[in-house]
Amino acid sequence: MRDGATIGAKRLLARAAAADSRAHAALKVAVDDFFLPEDRRLDERTRSALGVLLRGLVETVEAEVREHGARLLGARGEGGLATALAQGDASVMARLAGSGLLRDPELMAELIARVRQELIGNALPMSAPDDPERPSLINRFVQHPDRVVAASAMAVLFVESRRRGGPESGQLAQTELPSELHHRLVWWVAAALRERVADEAEDAVDALDRALSDAAQRSLTAYDEGDRLEAAAMRFAAAIDAQPGELPGLLVESLGDRRIVVFTALLAHAMGVSHALARDIVLDPEADRLWLACRALELSRDTIAKIGYALCEADPRRDLESFADALDAIASIAPGEARTALAPMKLHPDYRAAVIALGRGGAS
């Protein structure tokens, strides 16, 4: 009895110490949250959509790896282990979140940008065409006599409908992440599944590792970054190759159709930069780089006003009155001056990232 009481007391003391540590960590998080500037805090709409998207991505990858891994284990004579892997009663989402892996800056930057892009796109004001009989932008190009243009427009429609089908409707058809981020997520999920089932594997841990590794490799091999909506939109923008006289109308029309991904792709193609960089420019509520880009492309005051109004209406972080006050100054910027200011954005992405990182490191 005395030994048991001693062991119980030690365990109770350890639990109390752990609780004290958790309380300290929770207090630190609460304090950090309280002092976070309002303009840096995620609003509830973005936070909610981000949570839904992140869970959807994890569960999509988990289902794929889990199902194929269980099938491999069954075929290799590990029926009990296959059943244990297939019958997971909860997602590995909580484990990955608790481990800190999902705090990966590149992953979260991509997801936050994707969520904000979707929210702004859905909130853009609809604009009726001058001709009610005229098809919308993408539908019009689907009927284009140039087969390359028509096929690229059809691809945008297909991928767009696939993305809009989730995550609210359940698992995603695919993650639509950049390839490197998809790879990281697949291996994280495989490792979390291993941890969950390893205790039941006993002497068959090697078989479990081989099955999960093979299942992860299968997922990676089948993944094509070119199937992403952003990639399809960039192919569409390249196919139509809008000329200076066509670009302003297409940009305004794409926003009127609530197709912000296409708007971003048209801007990226015209600027000669990646979709990811153009997306950063479009989503930035300060919009200084966006207005420079518009002037570098020699967009008129009227076109810039239409773009600015649409984005201010869709994004609560933007101030319409401030934009209106700055419009004349924006329109007065010489195109050559704007192109010179934006020239560093056309540097090789890795070189540009190195220059920025060096600058963040401070003076030598």
Side-chain angles (χ1 to χ4, degrees), residues 9-28:
K10 288 181 179 178
R11 288 179 178 172
L12 188 62
L13 186 61
R15 287 169 56 184
D20 183 62
S21 178
R22 287 195 300 272
H24 177 74
L27 177 61
K28 184 178 183 303

Side-chain angles (χ1 to χ4, degrees), residues 26 98 128 132 135 148 157 161 187 227 254 278 285 312 321 329 335 351 356:
V148 174
L157 281 179
S161 64
W187 289 119
D227 286 341
S254 61
C312 286
E321 291 185 5
Y351 178 54
I356 293 172

Side-chain angles (χ1 to χ4, degrees), residues 100-174:
L101 288 174
L102 296 180
R103 292 175 176 265
D104 181 85
E106 292 181 14
L107 174 65
M108 293 310 297
E110 172 65 26
L111 298 189
I112 291 171
R114 182 161 147 184
V115 163
R116 283 181 168 154
Q117 176 180 261
E118 291 293 327
L119 291 174
I120 292 174
N122 292 336
L124 284 168
M126 291 288 287
S127 59
D130 296 333
D131 180 3
E133 301 297 323
R134 189 187 193 199
S136 64
L137 175 66
I138 299 295
N139 290 326
R140 192 166 70 250
F141 279 101
V142 167
Q143 303 168 10
H144 200 280
D146 187 322
R147 289 185 298 172
V148 174
V149 173
S152 64
M154 181 61 74
V156 170
L157 281 179
F158 173 76
V159 182
E160 189 178 59
S161 64
R162 182 181 65 194
R163 179 176 287 188
R164 287 182 175 176
E168 291 81 1
S169 61
Q171 287 184 1
L172 306 174
Q174 64 178 47

